[in-house]
Amino acid sequence: MAHTDPRFHVPAPHARPGDTPDFSHIEIPPAGTARRPEVSIAGSETLDLALGLVRVLDHNHQAVGEWDPKLEPELLRQGLRHMVLTRVYDERMQKLQRQGKMSFYMKSMGEEAVAVAAAMALEKTDMVFPSYRQQGILFARGRDIVDMMCHCISNSRDNLKGRQLPVHYTWAEGNFFSISGNLTTQFPQAVGYAMACQFKGESRITASWIGDGSTAEGDFHGALVLASTYRAPVILNIVNNQWAISTFQGMAAGESQTFALKGIGYGLASLRIDGNDFLAVYAATKWAAERARAGHGATVIESYTYRADAHSTSDDPSGYRPKGEGDAWPLGDPVERLKNHLIGLGEWDEERHAALEKELDQLVIASYKEAETYGTLHDGPLSPVQTMFEDVYAEPDWRLRRQRRDLGV
């Protein structure tokens, strides 16, 4: 319950450490009941979609309703593979961090569909501006796992040359913009990039992701103003995973019923979707991308999901939420739901799934062994010293030249 002092209202979560997880306040409409309008619809006419919940997979793991993207089984299997790889990779990397082989890590447990399905629905030429829990985009776009690991352990093959925290990836060749630890900076950047693409007559669009807590930042509102004013071809994703580090989502939501509703205030098409439903995420992203390419402007998408693990390896969620809350999340697990959908179609089985997990676990282990051949966190080799003077200024000024001379590099 909220703080009861009438002089100062402070929202509070429905359950605290030691309590039984409680999601009885969440209203989940049946799958398939949300309407799918034409992409040309005015943003102000999507109020029901901002307040509702776009769902495709029902309780029997069948795809129902107008939002069913009717994907081929092979594409579904690809999506499942990318999500399983993301989860296996995360598990291995967190263990390595606990062993002291890297300084920091952030898992995306429970949120794999948000990144993977969206990436698969976009064109690979579209520019993405992610936050730090969308590593699934990299897997969906074919990023080399060894390169990802080399960044995380900051060795000589780190493409960021030791300048970023682990999991703050960048990959220019894959149209994956540099992740920033400063929250929400990517939203206005994505809008500006989209405006530039539009100005140049390109068909490319952009997409960006932030967490629910980031909607309290000024950059969020600035981005929505720009997107609305200039009808930018951008998809603005809010990943509502219920927790912004140790602060529950109600602190950033305020009195708003949903985060998607904030987009309505700016006249933007706004959808609230089941973020643990691979098909819903894919369908909503495809709809928003088509809308953007057709010149109808931006879409705000709130992915309703749950962060099943700690915020990062520096976080202990037992201090602010009940134990087992992730297991009680009523929208289930995205990997299990897509797996069961494929099984229901006769296109998958438990034996194949177990074999896939084993295959990907071996791939991740072998990739890390290779990554260590380029150096380790403690023993190096690291990026050469002279690289600290590179990639910042096109022409180094006198201070950098003098510092480089003094170091003899």
Side-chain angles (χ1 to χ4, degrees), residues 146-274:
V146 174
D147 283 331
M148 292 173 66
M149 290 177 163
C150 286
H151 157 66
C152 286
I153 58 177
S154 302
N155 63 20
S156 63
R157 189 168 155 175
D158 175 10
N159 70 325
L160 283 159
K161 303 175 184 178
R163 295 170 176 166
Q164 276 273 40
L165 276 168
V167 307
H168 288 60
Y169 303 102
T170 189
W171 185 34
E173 299 82 357
N175 295 309
F176 186 99
F177 198 81
S178 303
I179 295 174
S180 172
N182 298 316
L183 297 181
T184 330
T185 58
Q186 64 270 32
F187 250 36
Q189 291 166 348
V191 174
Y193 198 104
M195 291 166 59
C197 290
Q198 188 176 46
F199 181 78
K200 291 187 289 186
E202 298 177 355
S203 63
R204 290 200 299 165
I205 66 171
T206 67
S208 187
W209 290 258
I210 60 172
D212 49 271
S214 291
T215 63
E217 297 285 339
D219 278 352
F220 169 77
H221 299 280
L224 268 61
V225 169
L226 285 173
S228 176
T229 301
Y230 296 102
R231 198 174 288 181
V234 61
I235 305 172
L236 299 168
N237 294 282
I238 303 166
V239 184
N240 180 5
N241 64 14
Q242 312 305 309
W243 292 96
I245 308 182
S246 58
T247 303
F248 92 113
Q249 57 90 24
M251 296 298 291
E255 296 297 324
S256 181
Q257 292 174 264
T258 71
F259 286 97
L261 189 60
K262 295 178 183 291
I264 297 292
Y266 293 91
L268 298 174
S270 302
L271 312 174
R272 183 168 172 260
I273 67 173
D274 180 348

Side-chain angles (χ1 to χ4, degrees), residues 57-63 336-338 340-342 344-345:
L57 290 173
D58 67 11
H59 64 284
N60 290 319
H61 311 297
Q62 295 181 340
E336 288 296 309
R337 289 177 68 185
L338 183 56
N340 288 328
H341 175 59
L342 277 164
L345 294 174

Side-chain angles (χ1 to χ4, degrees), residues 88 92 356-366:
V88 170
R92 179 63 55 177
L356 175 65
E357 290 179 324
K358 182 177 180 180
E359 173 200 344
L360 296 179
D361 189 53
Q362 292 173 343
L363 172 64
V364 170
I365 291 172

Side-chain angles (χ1 to χ4, degrees), residues 274-342:
D274 180 348
N276 287 17
D277 181 340
F278 179 93
L279 296 179
V281 177
Y282 186 99
T285 305
K286 204 74 172 177
W287 184 89
E290 184 182 344
R291 176 181 174 83
R293 286 187 226 282
H296 299 302
T299 301
V300 173
I301 299 178
E302 176 189 350
S303 287
Y304 203 59
T305 182
Y306 188 87
R307 169 167 55 80
D309 215 311
H311 176 75
S312 71
T313 49
S314 301
D315 175 46
D316 178 11
S318 68
Y320 55 82
R321 67 186 189 188
K323 185 177 181 180
E325 191 175 67
D327 296 330
W329 178 242
L331 293 175
D333 179 287
V335 174
E336 288 296 309
R337 289 177 68 185
L338 183 56
K339 180 190 79 171
N340 288 328
H341 175 59
L342 277 164

